[in-house]
Amino acid sequence: VTIDGETARDFDDAVYAEQKKDSWRLVVAIADVSTYVKETSMLNESAIERGNSVYFPRRVIPMLPEALSNGLCSLNPHVDRLCMVCDMTFDLNGDITKYKFYPSVMNSKARLTYTIVDKILNKNDQTLKKEYEKSYKDLVNLQNLFKLLSKKREKRGAIDFDSTETSIVFNDKGKIDFIKPIYRNEAHRIIEECMLSANVCAANYLLDNPGDGIYRNHETPSEEKLTNLRDFLLDFGLTLGGGSEPTVKDYGEILKKIANRPDAHLLQTVLLRSMQQAAYSSKNLGHFGLAYSAYTHFTSPIRRYSDLLVHRAIRSLIKSGKKSPHIRRPEKQSNIDKSVFYPYELSTLDEVGQHLSVTERRADEATRDVVNWLKCEFLLDRVSEEYTGVVSAVTGFGLFVMLDELMVEGLIHVTGLPKDYYHHEASQHRMVGERTGRTFRLGQKVKVRVVRVN
């Protein structure tokens, strides 16, 4: 089955789990884009230029033409589709004991949403249970395997930051009707753990075949950022363990300590900002945030070019006839070619990795700009209204405040603060009034009035 959001149209991944006597089997089937998009084609040139699909409210700019992204490649329900499978076996501790990649044909038995799966598994919705009774047992298996992998994740120390995203609901005239927060339920996390497992297997495949594909790296925080973070935490009576090389577990310990504090949001924001941005490279540098020694992207080739590269690397090994314990070839494979090799050189891969890191940032910024523009339009009719918010950034010229209900950011210029001369203390993320000692700091709750929308 596929499990996605309500508005999804391009289905990259399908999942299936079964429990055996002393192990678990997880099958993650991913849309086989590499069969349709060849390295030398115009389709490929366009896809690499875009780097990824860009998701705006009410509109998607796809990396591939919609005939592929929503049609031929998409794992739509009840139709045969080509896919690349990652077939994994886990022991009862949640460790992957073996895995195989192989090309296949699949037929999705249901197009499920996160909401539907959550209602079936956790809200005991009898109507939905009956409607999807053929998939019910498999969904329970997925949930039980998830619980095992979730414990493993906790033991590993991977960070799970709480972040609130918003969904914009439009009226018939294309204007914003209202803005609501999106809450992640267990079904989101089930799919996330399945995808993480398949991505780790793909990264291990790359380690066995140096020079094939690119890694998704998340390096440890820089020395300067760590020094600033430690100075900041001391003010709150907190210390980050791990000396000059803290692990993700050290970050996790602090997150546990602050979970129920009123300033938890502030501290979490500062912890997050101390980290590096993830990037693509032909060299494996590990993934700090997920606590993996090697990680890559394999599970979304419809919308990310990086994943398509990894699929091509796996396909080249399947076609080459080389022996590998992690490949299963079709029984009647007629096109084994011992001279087949991965079609990229290391220098090219590094260039592609840098380019894809840029296109990813470009997409994020474009999406953020469009969402903020729409929210500003929404607020034009609400000038002079009062809102509560949280200080989201502190600069020398004022405070940025994120409004609670709308998740839209506005500026309070320093001249709009209560009368005083304010000193900006950058490392402490605060403004301090010289005369009154009044302090405004990151994460602080404030009440604001909207005076102008630009």
Side-chain angles (χ1 to χ4, degrees):
V1 296
T2 61
I3 306 173
D4 294 270
E6 270 79 3
T7 57
R9 295 286 175 271
D10 50 352
F11 308 126
D12 279 300
D13 51 88
V15 289
Y16 166 78
E18 64 177 292
Q19 187 170 13
K20 308 227 169 174
K21 192 171 146 193
D22 53 359
S23 64
W24 281 91
R25 181 187 181 205
L26 173 65
V27 178
V28 174
I30 304 297
D32 186 3
V33 177
S34 64
T35 290
Y36 300 103
V37 182
K38 301 299 181 190
E39 293 91 336
T40 53
S41 66
M42 293 289 282
L43 267 177
N44 187 64
E45 277 184 41
S46 175
I48 197 168
E49 186 185 349
R50 291 167 185 238
N52 40 258
S53 296
V54 187
Y55 293 85
F56 296 121
R58 301 205 307 161
R59 184 171 177 210
V60 178
I61 299 179
M63 180 178 82
L64 299 169
E66 285 190 13
L68 287 178
S69 62
N70 296 1
L72 200 56
C73 292
S74 184
L75 305 180
N76 298 326
H78 314 301
V79 289
D80 286 354
R81 287 287 182 261
L82 293 180
C83 61
M84 184 65 79
V85 174
C86 182
D87 198 333
M88 297 160 270
T89 302
F90 296 81
D91 63 21
L92 298 181
N93 295 318
D95 289 315
I96 297 170
T97 53
K98 59 183 178 186
Y99 66 89
K100 276 193 188 332
F101 288 101
Y102 51 88
S104 189
V105 176
M106 66 154 284
N107 189 302
S108 171
K109 293 295 174 275
R111 181 280 199 252
L112 299 168
T113 68
Y114 298 120
T115 308
I116 288 171
V117 173
D118 194 52
K119 282 180 177 175
I120 290 171
L121 294 176
N122 299 321
K123 307 271 189 328
N124 200 23
D125 188 310
Q126 293 301 321
T127 311
L128 287 173
K129 269 188 180 178
K130 196 161 192 309
E131 188 179 344
Y132 296 104
E133 61 185 338
K134 287 183 180 173
S135 300
Y136 177 69
K137 188 183 168 201
D138 299 332
L139 290 176
V140 171
N141 280 339
L142 278 166
Q143 185 182 37
N144 289 332
L145 176 58
F146 157 72
K147 286 174 180 170
L148 186 67
L149 297 180
S150 194
K151 279 184 198 158
K152 188 80 188 162
R153 180 193 183 114
E154 205 175 308
K155 202 171 170 187
R156 209 171 66 241
I159 299 178
D160 202 358
F161 283 109
D162 281 330
S163 63
T164 308
E165 290 180 24
T166 54
S167 172
I168 296 175
V169 181
F170 295 88
N171 62 24
D172 298 341
K173 293 173 183 166
K175 300 288 183 187
I176 295 178
D177 204 8
F178 59 93
I179 297 166
K180 62 177 185 179
I182 300 172
Y183 298 106
R184 271 161 47 92
N185 59 34
E186 190 184 66
H188 286 89
R189 291 199 269 274
I190 288 171
I191 289 300
E192 184 180 42
E193 285 300 332
C194 292
M195 298 308 113
L196 288 174
S197 298
N199 284 336
V200 165
C201 290
N204 288 333
Y205 159 84
L206 293 180
L207 290 174
D208 288 345
N209 298 272
D212 284 12
I214 55 177
Y215 297 91
R216 176 69 168 176
N217 295 322
H218 184 227
E219 293 186 69
T220 52
S222 69
E223 206 173 310
E224 184 191 352
K225 284 192 170 182
L226 280 174
T227 303
N228 289 341
L229 175 62
R230 287 205 160 92
D231 290 347
F232 179 79
L233 291 173
L234 276 176
D235 265 14
F236 293 81
L238 296 165
T239 51
L240 176 69
S244 60
E245 291 185 6
T247 65
V248 72
K249 273 193 173 179
D250 297 315
Y251 270 75
E253 287 301 316
I254 288 192
L255 285 170
K256 273 185 206 161
K257 277 182 195 168
I258 65 171
N260 298 315
R261 287 173 56 145
D263 54 8
H265 179 79
L266 154 70
L267 293 163
Q268 181 174 293
T269 303
V270 176
L271 284 164
L272 189 58
R273 286 180 186 173
S274 73
M275 292 188 171
Q276 309 262 44
Q277 283 187 305
Y280 294 108
S281 170
S282 65
K283 299 173 193 69
N284 172 39
L285 303 170
H287 199 293
F288 179 77
L290 293 171
Y292 287 132
S293 56
Y295 189 67
T296 192
H297 278 160
F298 160 79
T299 54
S300 295
I302 288 178
R303 58 187 178 88
R304 286 192 305 232
Y305 193 83
S306 55
D307 306 49
L308 177 53
L309 282 178
V310 174
H311 276 241
R312 284 175 180 159
I314 293 166
R315 183 170 289 285
S316 70
L317 181 62
I318 290 169
K319 284 189 170 182
S320 71
K322 288 180 195 164
K323 287 189 175 176
S324 168
H326 303 305
I327 291 293
R328 186 192 301 161
R329 293 186 172 86
E331 282 177 26
K332 294 179 181 176
Q333 182 167 317
S334 57
N335 58 346
I336 285 182
D337 180 353
K338 302 238 169 165
S339 67
V340 166
F341 61 93
Y342 186 55
Y344 301 94
E345 292 177 3
L346 268 178
S347 57
T348 312
L349 277 178
D350 269 334
E351 280 173 35
V352 172
Q354 285 170 18
H355 168 70
L356 295 179
S357 299
V358 169
T359 62
E360 180 186 32
R361 311 255 188 283
R362 183 178 69 188
D364 287 344
E365 284 167 18
T367 304
R368 197 160 47 239
D369 283 350
V370 167
V371 168
N372 285 341
W373 188 90
L374 286 164
K375 287 177 177 177
C376 283
E377 187 186 48
F378 178 68
L379 279 166
L380 280 172
D381 301 332
R382 289 164 174 76
V383 171
S384 82
E385 286 187 13
E386 288 189 357
Y387 292 91
T388 56
V390 172
V391 176
S392 56
V394 182
T395 69
F397 54 85
L399 311 172
F400 283 94
V401 172
M402 181 75 77
L403 301 186
D404 286 340
E405 300 123 63
L406 306 176
M407 302 300 287
V408 63
E409 220 169 25
L411 170 71
I412 303 176
H413 193 267
V414 68
T415 55
L417 294 173
K419 285 191 171 35
D420 204 338
Y421 181 79
Y422 288 91
H423 294 279
H424 176 218
E425 297 179 1
S427 65
Q428 300 302 310
H429 303 273
R430 67 187 179 194
M431 298 266 261
V432 182
E434 190 174 276
R435 186 171 50 79
T436 60
R438 186 196 290 266
T439 302
F440 292 97
R441 71 184 329 150
L442 190 68
Q444 186 173 329
K445 282 271 186 190
V446 287
K447 196 176 196 180
V448 295
R449 180 178 289 114
V450 177
V451 291
R452 193 165 81 249
V453 179
N454 183 327

